């Protein structure tokens, strides 16, 4: 059940026929893992907490640095030097004390990552490097959990949803397994804040759709954002039957 305060807090989204009280209850009963509480993870965690996702699991072993603040809007000047997870928990608790926040402050290895993925309904990859993305994808495929994957660098963004519960869905490795410039990180190549904000906001939206059960998810499609020209493009992406992560031989 939803309390009177929850009905009021979430009233503007409950008003949507696609959400309604049933969708809000599904959000309350949902658990999501956010891998990386940086540029993408900031809007993801802020919007999911504000929307009433019942449990948010936050994973980041890093601490807040002054150079993060240009884009990692969940953190502030006072939190420089603090663990990103703790800084995020302070902010999220201030926004919504109704939800449960579960911290993962240490780096996740294969076993702890598998357990962290197993404990939730959906995973959002907000990390900034290829090896983490591959590891998160493999854990999601193994556990059969949907993965909302976003990336942003310089003035470009990418977004897709991989859902192993759907036979036609590719996984991250089907798409990027042959390597890409995903190995470049923002600290090396640079990035402008609103681009990560845009991709992170879209990740949060895809997660809310999947958890509450409305709309058409971005499965089998890759959204490409060109911020310089303000252009959005979409590519169809197919499952690779020979994929070493999700293929028949895996
Ligand atoms: Zn695959």
């Amino acid at each position: 059940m939803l309390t009177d305060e929850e009905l009021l807090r979430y009233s503007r989204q409950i008003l949507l026929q696609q959400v309604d009280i049933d969708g809000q209850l599904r959000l309350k009963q949902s658990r999501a893992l956010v891998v990386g509480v940086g540029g993408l993870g900031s809007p993801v965690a802020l919007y999911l907490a504000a929307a009433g996702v019942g449990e948010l699991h936050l994973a980041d072993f890093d601490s807040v640095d002054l150079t993060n603040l240009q884009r990692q809007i969940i953190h502030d000047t006072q939190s420089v030097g603090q663990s990103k997870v703790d800084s995020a928990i302070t902010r999220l608790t201030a926004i919504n004390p109704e939800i449960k926040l579960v911290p993962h402050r240490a780096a996740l290895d294969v076993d702890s990552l598998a357990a962290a993925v197993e404990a939730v309904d959906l995973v959002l990859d907000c990390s900034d490097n290829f090896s983490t993305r591959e590891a998160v994808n493999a854990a999601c495929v193994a556990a059969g959990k949907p993965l909302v994957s976003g990336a942003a660098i310089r003035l470009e963004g990418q977004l897709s949803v991989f859902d192993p519960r759907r036979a036609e869905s590719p996984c991250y490795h089907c798409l990027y397994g042959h390597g890409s410039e995903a190995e470049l990180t923002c600290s090396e190549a640079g990035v402008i804040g609103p681009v990560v904000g845009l991709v992170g906001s879209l990740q949060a939206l895809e997660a809310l759709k999947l958890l509450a059960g409305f709309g058409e998810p971005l499965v089998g499609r890759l959204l490409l954002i060109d911020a310089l020209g303000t252009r959005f493009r979409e590519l169809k992406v197919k499952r690779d039957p020979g994929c070493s992560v999700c293929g028949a031989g895996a």
Side-chain angles (χ1 to χ4, degrees), residues 17 38 71 75 81 90 95 117 119 125 135 160 167 185 191 198 216 231:
Q17 63 170 17
R71 64 195 179 284
H75 310 299
T90 302
I95 292 174
V117 167
D125 187 344
S160 195
T185 64
V191 69
L198 180 59
E216 183 195 348
R231 286 186 180 88

Side-chain angles (χ1 to χ4, degrees), residues 1-15 20-22 24-25 28 98:
M1 286 294 289
L2 295 169
T3 63
D4 287 349
E5 193 187 315
E6 286 171 327
L7 287 170
L8 206 53
R9 176 183 284 272
Y10 308 120
S11 56
R12 295 304 184 272
Q13 69 195 35
I14 291 174
L15 265 177
D20 212 329
I21 289 183
D22 287 347
Q24 191 63 51
L25 271 172
K28 184 176 180 175
E98 307 278 344

Side-chain angles (χ1 to χ4, degrees), residues 32-36 44 48 122-126 146-149 203-204 207:
L33 169 66
V34 182
V35 181
V44 161
L48 295 188
L122 174 144
V123 178
L124 296 112
D125 187 344
C126 303
L147 171 63
V148 181
S149 182
Q203 286 183 270

Side-chain angles (χ1 to χ4, degrees), residues 11 64 85 92 161 199 203 205 223:
S11 56
V64 181
V85 167
L92 297 173
V161 176
V199 174
Q203 286 183 270
L205 181 58
L223 183 69

Side-chain angles (χ1 to χ4, degrees), residues 137 141 162 169-175 238-247 250:
N137 176 64
V141 170
F162 308 107
S169 174
C171 80
Y172 178 86
H173 192 80
C174 293
L175 200 56
K238 285 190 172 158
R239 186 168 188 176
D240 173 8
C243 174
S244 62
V245 177
C246 75

Side-chain angles (χ1 to χ4, degrees), residues 109-234:
D109 60 17
V110 173
D111 290 339
S112 55
L113 179 60
V117 167
E118 195 58 56
V120 296
D121 305 300
L122 174 144
V123 178
L124 296 112
D125 187 344
C126 303
S127 68
D128 66 351
N129 65 84
F130 188 64
S131 59
T132 303
R133 290 174 181 282
E134 283 277 312
V136 169
N137 176 64
C140 287
V141 170
K145 302 289 168 83
L147 171 63
V148 181
S149 182
I153 201 159
R154 294 187 289 249
L155 287 142
E156 292 158 29
Q158 299 193 0
L159 184 80
S160 195
V161 176
F162 308 107
D163 191 345
R165 300 170 303 180
R166 296 168 184 245
E168 78 283 4
S169 174
C171 80
Y172 178 86
H173 192 80
C174 293
L175 200 56
Y176 295 103
H178 309 294
S180 69
E181 66 167 10
E183 300 208 39
L184 273 178
T185 64
C186 293
S187 58
E188 294 154 2
V191 69
I192 196 140
V195 175
V196 288
L198 180 59
V199 174
S201 298
L202 287 168
Q203 286 183 270
L205 181 58
E206 288 301 311
L208 292 177
K209 284 162 58 185
L210 285 161
L211 294 172
F214 65 93
E216 183 195 348
L218 192 66
V219 173
R221 297 181 286 150
L222 174 66
L223 183 69
L224 301 170
I225 300 167
D226 161 25
L228 208 50
T230 315
R231 286 186 180 88
F232 289 65
R233 273 197 310 144
E234 193 181 295

